[in-house]
């Protein structure tokens, strides 16, 4: 996976390249990251990348020329890396909400160009001319698209084969199967009188799997019933959830 990011602040991306799973994945060549700064694609001495909005109003809008030139340069680099039609994604509050299903789809791409806006956003003609899909990481406004890009990149990198030290099929991440995650425990068995559920100490892996699935279903029912609406339950899951409900003391 090759990421080409258009950003005024390339240094921000050390937040994912320098730490943990994302750092190891970079070192293992599971992905590559190249940042392009629109300021390097300006023609004036002040390296101007924004201007006031037509129609008035507060704030500034990013100029189309430097952005389109940076996107073109990124696309050429993607082409040279063998990715002939990289998807161009614009991070904005106006985008379609990012969810795990979208993350899985995006992780199948070989190259992505991520456009990070600042100020009030980019000139609309950039979106019309060069953006394939607009994506939002949530219903709130950030100072720029960079954190959204890093959130998206982190979730995609985790999907790349070899990124997680245990294979993904065993990985019951939240949302991996459309449910919230079950509770997790580690040492000590008794922490200030709070003990670990016996089943987890039993070594009975079938029972442990059932307990974890029941807890994930129950939690999803209690905290995010909307996720259950979108999910067909197996017979076993339906039974476990109804057991959880009947045992749940409100
Ligand atoms: N929810 C998000 O994914 C998100 C993305 C970017 C962003 N800020 C830069 C920006 C970009 C475009 C328009 C705009 O109004 C603000 N804030 C939040």
């Amino acid at each position: 996976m090759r990421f080409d990011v258009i950003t005024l602040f390339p240094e921000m991306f050390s937040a994912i390249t320098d730490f943990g799973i994302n750092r190891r994945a970079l070192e293992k060549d599971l992905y590559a990251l190249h940042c392009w700064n629109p300021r390097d694609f300006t023609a004036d001495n002040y390296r101007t990348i924004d201007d006031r909005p037509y129609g008035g109003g507060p704030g500034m809008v990013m100029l189309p020329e430097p952005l389109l030139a940076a996107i073109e340069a990124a696309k050429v680099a993607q082409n040279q890396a063998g990715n002939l039609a990289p998807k161009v994604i614009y991070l904005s509050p106006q985008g379609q909400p990012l969810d795990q299903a979208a993350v899985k789809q995006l992780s199948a791409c070989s190259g992505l160009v991520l456009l990070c806006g600042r100020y009030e956003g980019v000139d609309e003609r950039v979106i019309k001319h060069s953006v394939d899909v607009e994506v939002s990481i949530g219903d709130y406004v950030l100072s720029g698209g960079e954190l959204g890009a890093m959130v998206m990149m982190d979730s995609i990198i985790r999907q790349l084969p070899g990124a997680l030290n245990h294979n993904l099929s065993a990985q019951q991440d939240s949302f991996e199967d459309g449910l919230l995650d079950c509770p997790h425990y580690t040492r000590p068995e008794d922490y200030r009188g709070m003990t670990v559920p016996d089943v987890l100490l039993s070594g009975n892996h079938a029972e442990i799997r059932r307990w974890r699935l029941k807890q994930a279903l129950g939690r999803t029912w209690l905290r995010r019933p909307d996720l259950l609406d979108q999910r067909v339950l197996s017979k076993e899951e339906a039974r476990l959830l109804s057991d959880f409900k009947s045992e749940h003391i409100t």
Side-chain angles (χ1 to χ4, degrees):
M1 166 67 80
R2 177 182 166 117
F3 295 104
D4 283 87
V5 179
I6 317 299
T7 173
L8 292 172
F9 301 114
E11 303 87 347
M12 284 181 73
F13 287 81
S14 61
I16 54 169
T17 58
D18 295 6
F19 304 93
I21 287 171
N22 298 316
R23 173 179 176 171
R24 196 169 56 242
L26 188 62
E27 289 166 350
K28 287 165 71 174
D29 289 330
L30 301 184
Y31 76 95
L33 166 61
H34 192 99
C35 291
W36 305 83
N37 190 331
R39 285 204 192 281
D40 298 333
F41 296 87
T42 53
D44 66 311
N45 295 339
Y46 300 96
R47 292 162 59 88
T48 310
I49 45 86
D50 65 335
D51 204 338
R52 291 178 299 111
Y54 281 119
M60 302 289 270
V61 175
M62 294 183 81
L63 292 166
E65 295 98 328
L67 290 176
L68 288 170
I71 291 170
E72 278 316 305
K75 281 174 150 177
V76 166
Q78 283 276 346
N79 295 164
Q80 286 166 346
N83 304 326
L84 300 187
K87 205 184 283 285
V88 179
I89 297 174
Y90 178 45
L91 285 303
S92 97
Q94 286 72 40
Q96 64 192 41
L98 182 68
D99 62 8
Q100 195 67 20
V103 167
K104 282 184 180 173
Q105 281 178 345
L106 290 169
S107 66
C109 299
S110 45
L112 295 174
V113 177
L114 306 181
L115 174 60
C116 302
R118 284 262 150 181
Y119 315 111
E120 302 313 304
V122 306
D123 185 292
E124 189 67 14
R125 288 162 291 185
V126 173
I127 301 172
K128 284 204 173 13
H129 181 276
S130 297
V131 170
D132 295 311
V133 60
E134 220 168 318
V135 172
S136 168
I137 62 163
D139 292 335
Y140 37 78
V141 181
L142 302 167
S143 316
E146 285 81 5
L147 288 174
M150 283 187 262
V151 163
M152 178 190 287
M153 290 166 71
D154 183 296
S155 65
I156 289 170
I157 292 165
R158 295 173 59 80
Q159 295 294 319
L160 301 177
L164 301 181
N165 44 27
H166 44 292
N167 76 17
L168 209 56
S169 57
Q171 170 76 23
Q172 290 306 319
D173 253 356
S174 284
F175 297 98
E176 267 308 319
D177 52 4
L179 299 175
L180 299 185
D181 210 358
C182 62
H184 297 285
Y185 296 85
T186 185
R187 292 181 296 108
E189 282 186 30
D190 182 325
Y191 178 67
R192 298 189 180 183
M194 294 180 287
T195 55
V196 173
D198 292 337
V199 64
L200 297 181
L201 309 172
S202 69
N204 180 334
H205 293 287
E207 273 309 301
I208 290 166
R209 186 194 69 82
R210 252 193 301 280
W211 180 87
R212 286 175 169 164
L213 181 53
K214 181 176 175 181
Q215 292 299 315
L217 287 158
R219 264 181 166 189
T220 310
W221 169 64
L222 289 171
R223 302 182 188 185
R224 290 291 307 278
D226 57 297
L227 293 178
L228 279 185
D229 296 342
Q230 296 162 25
R231 192 171 183 292
V232 176
L233 298 184
S234 68
K235 252 176 58 200
E236 179 190 39
E237 289 168 339
R239 193 174 52 249
L240 288 170
L241 179 55
S242 96
D243 291 351
F244 184 95
K245 287 177 178 179
S246 54
E247 291 154 19
H248 181 72
I249 308 117
T250 41

